[in-house]
Amino acid sequence: MSEDALDYARLVREALLEVPRQALLVAAREGLSGEHHFYVSFQTGHPGVSISPSLRARHPEEMTVVLQHQYWDLAVGEDAFSVTLRFAGAPERLHVPFAALTAFADPGAEFGLRFDGPGEATVTPEPAAAGEAEGKAEAPTDTVVDIRAFRRPDEGESAKSGEEEPEPAG
């Protein structure tokens, strides 16, 4: 047996990537109930990520999207998910491999995962943020969402910043 056969960091990361996959499957089948909503951050340059050239130009490294009330055609596969969201009023179809994820949070459940790098993942409770947008008609397109805002003050500085929140459809 080679030394790499039991790469536990890789095994843990792969297992934890199943959590957002299962949560997205539930959302695709049943919708999101109550206070549940997802912040999904991903590497825009990762192989297999499909976003419009304008989104890639605005987010050359990482992007955070919010799935709450206004998302369409959520499809979840074994290795990736696709969803339609509105940006600057225009619908955009995104395709994101789970391997591209850098963070997943459900503030309504006070839960979050941070995928820090290859083979690294962190599980943290994610408290719901005070004053979070609840179905606002128009969000500015240059809003930056810092995932650290969803951490408790007593937690360590383990999260890096997220990116833009898409505007809800009107």
Side-chain angles (χ1 to χ4, degrees):
M1 181 184 304
S2 76
E3 193 172 0
D4 293 333
L6 288 175
D7 181 353
Y8 288 105
R10 179 186 55 79
L11 293 172
V12 167
R13 179 178 168 79
E14 288 174 4
L16 287 175
L17 282 171
E18 188 65 15
V19 173
R21 182 180 170 286
Q22 290 296 321
L24 289 167
L25 277 169
V26 169
R29 269 193 321 265
E30 303 171 21
L32 292 169
S33 64
E35 297 298 314
H36 291 287
H37 57 288
F38 304 146
Y39 284 80
V40 183
S41 299
F42 59 95
Q43 299 169 346
T44 56
H46 190 279
V49 169
S50 176
I51 59 175
S52 70
S54 63
L55 285 177
R56 191 174 307 276
R58 289 191 348 233
H59 306 283
E61 294 180 22
E62 185 175 55
M63 180 176 185
T64 297
V65 296
V66 179
L67 278 69
Q68 187 168 13
H69 303 297
Q70 309 262 333
Y71 62 91
W72 299 269
D73 304 321
L74 176 58
V76 183
E78 287 296 315
D79 299 319
F81 73 95
S82 299
V83 66
T84 301
L85 299 168
R86 286 189 181 267
F87 297 88
E92 300 261 359
R93 186 76 176 159
L94 287 74
H95 179 83
V96 181
F98 291 110
L101 295 187
T102 57
F104 174 85
D106 180 350
E110 298 185 9
F111 176 81
L113 291 169
R114 181 82 192 169
F115 302 101
D116 301 316
E120 298 178 26
T122 306
V123 180
T124 56
E126 296 288 340
E132 258 186 71
E134 290 264 345
K136 289 185 180 175
E138 289 290 322
T141 58
D142 60 349
T143 301
V144 175
V145 176
D146 186 343
I147 200 131
R148 291 177 289 194
F150 304 102
R151 299 197 179 284
R152 292 187 185 135
D154 61 330
E155 289 182 315
E157 178 73 23
S158 64
K160 297 182 178 92
S161 68
E163 289 294 330
E164 179 175 303
E165 177 178 328
E167 80 176 47

